[in-house]
Amino acid sequence: MTRVFSDQNLDEVASVLASGEPVAIPTETVYGLAAPIFNEVAVQKIFSLKGRPSDNPLIAHVSSISMAESIAQEIPESFYLLAKRFWPGPLTLVLPRKECVPKLVSAGQGSIAIRMPAHPIALNLIEQVGEPLVAPSANISGRPSPTCLAHVLEDFEGKLSAVVDGGVCQIGIESTVLSLLSDVPVLLRPGSITKQQLEEALGLEILLPQSSEPVHSPGMKYRHYAPNGAINIVDSVPSLPAGAFVLSRDPIDGIQHRALNAKELFAHLREADILGAEEIWVLTDPITMASTGLMNRLLKAASKV
Ligand code: TXA
Ligand code: MG
């Protein structure tokens, strides 16, 4: 049976985590499936529960800069600048890892991805457990990330001993991931903190991963965020079948649609599955949307690989 907790009984949740049972917890981006970083048995359970490929590393969630320093080394000045500016918040920074980080967590990489979540429940639990919590998104691998407790239960009801209800996630797509492994930072995953904001904070240009280079962020090579129906991204309204499942920023004459925005995207993709939609029509201008976190998730959801 899966027990549902709230912010009223986090002490109990902290003891479930400390006992080595993964727990789904809210963050400001999406729900995460959390376990203490140094508990390898618990970390292995996360991979098994999600059906996650073992070459896809996890993000460590910290509640302080010193906690980040306990798992990373050779930390550049740019880390401190960005952490001061954007933490707690939806920015994940990739740094060289210390030897103490279990290999399982970093999936064989010499690096560790770290972020400080801006959610009081997540921060409270990290503090109580007293070590970083690793947490991938709390969905079965390949499914859209969960942005409320009902989504978590769709995937894991009966399979987790505990979940924490923290309401609807404010941001709705996963954190921006930035690698600080080389002198010029590389944006591995776009998110609500934009390339431009990062460049302004650093005072230098950052790079996008080169497709000719080996995969920087292993997770980006897998199909993600995908509903069962086919996603069609179009920039003008085709003649749609009656009852078509449509996402659009703006109203369209005579057609019922759902709002297209980052906060609600994954909820709508899950809803399309529940309704059995075979086609999902997304009405948007791909040029103006290019390189946004929302467009990145849509393109991944639409691709069949
Ligand atoms: O907003 C988020 O980041 C959410 C919440 C729960 O914090 N977490 C999340 O985790 O999205 P996950 O596991 O679904 O995505 C982690 C991404 C993957 O694309 C993974 O490959 C990349 O971060 N990543 C993790 N460690 C890395 C590393 N050492 N080097 C490069 N990429 C890494
Ligand atoms: Mg994920």
Side-chain angles (χ1 to χ4, degrees):
M1 208 191 66
T2 302
R3 290 178 68 195
V4 179
F5 291 88
S6 72
D7 60 358
Q8 297 306 300
N9 37 25
L10 293 181
D11 301 1
E12 267 189 83
V13 178
S15 24
V16 176
L17 280 165
S19 78
E21 281 304 315
V23 177
I25 66 168
T27 82
E28 80 281 27
T29 57
V30 301
Y31 276 70
L33 186 54
I37 192 168
F38 297 120
N39 186 330
E40 293 194 46
V41 176
V43 175
Q44 180 55 57
K45 282 186 197 162
I46 290 181
F47 280 92
S48 317
L49 281 161
K50 278 183 61 86
R52 184 181 180 97
S54 59
D55 66 351
N56 193 1
L58 304 178
I59 296 174
H61 296 69
V62 299
S63 57
S64 65
I65 300 273
S66 61
M67 204 182 259
E69 289 168 335
S70 73
I71 51 173
Q73 58 187 353
E74 298 159 42
I75 303 178
E77 211 36 56
S78 54
F79 165 82
Y80 294 98
L81 220 145
L82 293 170
K84 280 198 190 98
R85 173 86 179 263
F86 296 108
W87 282 6
L91 176 64
T92 296
L93 298 168
V94 178
L95 295 170
R97 70 171 170 82
K98 280 197 170 147
E99 275 304 313
C100 61
V101 175
K103 292 207 166 49
L104 188 62
V105 167
S106 54
Q109 310 275 325
S111 56
I112 178 77
I114 309 176
R115 87 176 187 99
M116 188 189 294
H119 196 295
I121 291 180
L123 289 172
N124 177 307
L125 290 170
I126 299 164
E127 278 295 295
Q128 287 205 55
V129 175
E131 66 185 75
L133 294 178
V134 291
S137 50
N139 53 280
I140 302 284
S141 276
R143 296 262 295 143
S145 294
T147 55
C148 64
L149 190 69
H151 298 163
V152 175
L153 294 174
E154 274 170 27
D155 287 10
F156 291 116
E157 172 100 76
K159 296 184 184 132
L160 294 178
S161 53
V163 297
V164 187
D165 190 356
V168 173
C169 300
Q170 284 310 302
I171 292 179
I173 57 172
E174 306 85 346
S175 60
T176 304
V177 180
L178 185 72
S179 169
L180 299 178
L181 297 178
S182 45
D183 288 344
V184 184
V186 182
L187 184 67
L188 299 179
R189 179 173 73 181
S192 63
I193 293 178
T194 63
K195 180 167 181 279
Q196 196 187 341
Q197 280 177 291
L198 295 169
E199 287 176 335
E200 275 168 18
L202 290 169
L204 55 82
E205 253 187 66
I206 62 179
L207 295 174
L208 298 173
Q210 301 297 307
S211 52
S212 56
E213 286 174 17
V215 183
H216 287 266
S217 190
M220 300 309 278
K221 72 176 185 242
Y222 294 107
R223 185 175 186 227
H224 264 93
Y225 322 113
N228 297 323
I231 297 186
N232 308 291
I233 302 174
V234 291
D235 59 5
S236 62
V237 190
S239 57
L240 294 172
F245 195 97
V246 180
L247 297 178
S248 170
R249 243 176 238 283
D250 305 312
I252 324 160
D253 270 351
I255 297 176
Q256 201 211 345
H257 78 285
R258 287 161 179 78
L260 176 64
N261 57 54
K263 185 174 177 186
E264 294 170 293
L265 176 70
F266 291 138
H268 289 323
L269 296 184
R270 281 176 176 265
E271 186 194 359
D273 276 355
I274 288 169
L275 295 174
E278 286 174 15
E279 304 274 347
I280 297 162
W281 298 91
V282 181
L283 186 68
T284 183
D285 170 1
I287 305 291
T288 53
M289 293 264 297
S291 84
T292 63
L294 175 59
M295 197 63 197
N296 169 272
R297 303 314 187 270
L298 269 173
L299 289 172
K300 296 212 106 212
S303 79
K304 289 292 172 199
V305 286

